[in-house]
Amino acid sequence: MPQPALNTTASFQALHAHYAAVKDLSLRELFAAPPSPPASSRFEQFSLKAAGLFLDYAKNNVTSETMAHLFALARERKVETQRQAMFAGAKINTTEHRAVLHTALRAPRLPALDLDGQHISADVHAVLQRIQTFTTALRSGAWLGYNGKPITDIVNIGIGGSDLGPKMVCQALRPYQRADLHLHFVSNVDGDDLDAVLQQVDPQTTLFVIASKTFTTAETMMNAHSARNWFLQNATGAQESDLRKHFVAVSTNVEGVTAFGIDAANMFPFWDWVGGRYSVWSSIGLSVALAVGFDQFSEFLAGAHAMDQHFQSAPLEQNMPVILALLGIWYRNFFDYRSVSIAPYHQDLGNFPSYLQQLEMESNGKRVTLDGRAVDAATCPVIWGNVGTNGQHAYFQLLHQGTDITPVDFIATLTASHHLPGHQAALLANCFAQSEALMRGKHADEVQAEMQAKGMPPEQIAALLPHRTFPGNRPSNTILMEALTPANLGALIALYEHKVFVQGLIWDVNSFDQWGVELGKVLASNILNELTAAPVPQGHDSSTNGLIAMARTALS
Ligand code: G6Q
């Protein structure tokens, strides 16, 4: 059943009317207003816990009425039934006619989850068993390189969803890694990426994990072939048959893997119902399991599963992913805020903003509805960010005083994994101070009083006042967890996955295809031929023809 156009729905129209009534209420005013009983504060009213995470959403431009309207919108867009449909394996990725079952990858053995006659859960757990056997063998030193040495370096070659997830998770779980097993990630077709890694590793003690769902992605294939050639040229005395000790594959394409020369026994499969950006829970997570061990990988899956259970069963009003999604809808579709900044106050979450960039923008960067009509409202905002406190010394200027308002998600852990005294308190102080400053701002009368107290002359005060005034009223969420454990990290990622899903339902887009990314995969191959083949191509516009001509000269 196609959804009606978003703008025509009763709840969206009610939200428009409500927006007109509340848009000028500032966050300061909202904090000054009495909370709705039984809550004793705005903080208590607009915060909740789930799966090891705590979300404070009090610093948002919402009243309880706003939230009620947003929950009505979610109900009108059938979030509850669609949520069940996803978990049950309905083919909700309609343009590719596929189920969306990344949740099954992190679920315990389910008695019956069949898809086209396949027992999904049994398949998932059989592959997990193989991952466990392999990671245990490698980490214990039972799996040896071709000349009997244990593996010291693992190079994950993949791109997009076959890179961003494992890379982000390995970095986030850095304290769980062993000092004698080094992880490297190569994604870019730019040879500098692979070259930099090959210069650091020894072919006798290196394992390459070729991670590609399709096993046809040009960048990954080129890097994989170059790594293979490098191994055969540099591993003293190694034969082709020794490749099996140093190359394993993660893929859905057994023919492609074997054609490359990797033994099917060294291939860890997954399935077409796992989208690339949702695949870190599948055997694409092999590098994670190798880095932190299978037990911690299982904890990571369990944390995500705990968030799945919360998402699946909590009423919308107490549902963390739903709340996060609806706040995003409120800002994108009513306030017209066009980007969201992600600010993890944790150095090991340094890759989390770029991970979310793919998750959100590849999923919901869409302009047509499921049945092919133009979406009648704005969809995914731009997602960007970096770790705090570094961002504070750079682009936070724009967050505080720029002309655009950018909602921020602050993410922090209460405790640290290091033992350096003072650092964690300083980090958290910065995090909380930033969200407070964005919310409160510093108004002209406050700035003036401050400068007067310092004895500044009136003309200097007048000149500086507009520059030193902060409008405030800039919203943020704060997500806290006790520590960056594998389970909490799993829950955090699943939180955002479900947020993206709910927003996709509201906008009525397919969050699980990526035709724009597919386009990129074919475009370059045409020009690649033209860069080397005679005669000089003339079929493009003059700009593209000119650039190709310059490159042909340089490459010849
Ligand atoms: C993810 C995308 C994309 C994909 C890469 C790699 O959702 O589809 O980022 O993961 O293009 O694809 P392969 O894993 O097939 O190499």
Side-chain angles (χ1 to χ4, degrees), residues 159-162 212-214 217 276-277 358 362 514 517 521:
I159 195 166
S162 301
S212 176
K213 180 175 169 180
T214 54
T217 304
R277 55 197 172 277
Q358 179 188 36
E362 195 175 351
Q514 56 282 317
V517 168
K521 294 191 181 188

Side-chain angles (χ1 to χ4, degrees), residues 108-124:
R109 281 173 203 276
L110 299 169
L113 182 53
D114 285 351
L115 187 70
D116 302 331
Q118 285 293 109
H119 192 323
I120 295 280
S121 198
D123 291 352
V124 165

Side-chain angles (χ1 to χ4, degrees), residues 255-302:
E255 292 82 16
V257 168
T258 43
F260 177 85
I262 294 179
D263 204 332
N266 290 343
M267 168 179 159
F268 298 84
F270 63 113
W271 306 273
D272 71 358
W273 41 264
V274 182
R277 55 197 172 277
Y278 300 88
S279 64
V280 69
W281 322 100
S282 72
S283 42
I284 288 289
L286 181 68
S287 295
V288 176
L290 287 166
V292 300
F294 188 78
D295 289 350
Q296 302 296 355
F297 184 64
S298 300
E299 286 291 305
F300 172 65
L301 300 184

